[in-house]
Amino acid sequence: MPRYKDLPHVEPAAPHGLRRRALRLMSGRAFGAVERSLPSRLVVWRLVPRLMRLTGGRLAALLPVPVAVLETCDLRNGRPHRRCVIYFHDGERITVVPSRGGGPRDPHWYDNALADPAVRFGDRLCRAEPVVDDADRARLWELADRFYPPYVAYRAHAARSGRTIPLLQLIPS
C-alpha cells in the first residue's frame, strides 16, 4: 500500500482559492441533500477512501476542500472503518466535523472514535477527543462555517430532527 503524502496544514481562516470560491457558490441546502443521497453515500463515503489509500492520498488534491482518510476501529465487527473527512487545523490539533450532511444521526465513525479514541488520520496516529467546552465549540464553529459554508445548512437541517452536530479534535501522538 502506498504511503500517504504528508497532509497539508490547513488554516481555516486562510484566503480561499478558485475551487473553494466555487464551492461557496454551490453551498447550501441542495448540496447537503446531495451529500445525504444514496449515490453519494455509496460512492463518496465508500469508494473514495479506497481510492485515497491506493493513490497514497494524492486524490485529495483534486477536491475543492482538504480531505483525508480517518480510520477507526468499527464497534460492530472490530475491523478498520475508513471514511474521508474534511479537516482543518486548530494549532496542532486537527478538527473534523461529523456532520453526515445534517442527517438525524451521527456517522458511525464518530461513534467508533468515541468508543476507541486511538485513530489513524492519513498516516498519523492520533487520539480523538470530542469538543465539550462551549467557548471552544463556538470558536471552532465560527472557523468551520467560514472554512466550509455548507456546515451552516447542515446544522440547521440536523436541528430540525433534534440533533446537534458535534465537533471532534484529533491530537497527534
Side-chain angles (χ1 to χ4, degrees):
M1 173 178 89
R3 286 186 45 82
Y4 284 92
K5 66 178 183 164
D6 287 336
L7 295 174
H9 187 88
V10 178
E11 285 297 329
H16 295 187
L18 181 60
R19 287 187 294 176
R20 295 282 302 285
R21 288 193 301 264
L23 175 69
R24 185 181 290 272
L25 292 174
M26 6 180 274
S27 66
R29 291 177 210 231
F31 195 72
V34 168
E35 186 175 343
R36 288 186 304 274
S37 71
L38 180 61
S40 176
R41 289 195 321 254
L42 292 176
V43 173
V44 174
W45 304 122
R46 299 196 191 271
L47 181 61
V48 172
R50 288 179 174 92
L51 292 173
M52 292 278 286
R53 282 185 71 206
L54 288 172
T55 65
R58 289 183 293 279
L59 178 67
L62 302 174
L63 302 173
V65 291
V67 298
V69 175
L70 176 67
E71 182 179 304
T72 61
C73 179
D74 196 317
L75 286 170
R76 298 169 290 183
N77 56 28
R79 294 191 305 233
H81 184 92
R82 297 176 188 96
R83 291 296 181 258
C84 281
V85 295
I86 297 169
Y87 73 97
F88 63 89
H89 283 83
D90 178 41
E92 290 301 311
R93 293 175 176 231
I94 302 161
T95 303
V96 294
V97 180
S99 67
R100 201 173 191 183
R105 294 186 324 254
D106 292 331
H108 292 298
W109 61 261
Y110 176 70
D111 296 331
N112 294 342
L114 292 180
D116 182 0
V119 301
R120 180 176 295 279
F121 190 68
D123 266 349
R124 299 172 94 178
L125 293 176
C126 298
R127 186 180 79 249
E129 288 186 358
V131 178
V132 293
D133 180 69
D134 289 337
D136 280 343
R137 284 181 54 79
R139 180 181 60 78
L140 288 169
W141 271 121
E142 186 178 317
L143 290 172
D145 291 345
R146 280 192 314 213
F147 176 69
Y148 187 67
Y151 285 147
V152 176
Y154 294 176
R155 284 202 322 278
H157 190 271
R160 286 195 288 275
S161 64
R163 176 177 170 232
T164 300
I165 297 176
L167 291 167
L168 190 68
Q169 289 202 306
L170 308 177
I171 300 142
S173 299

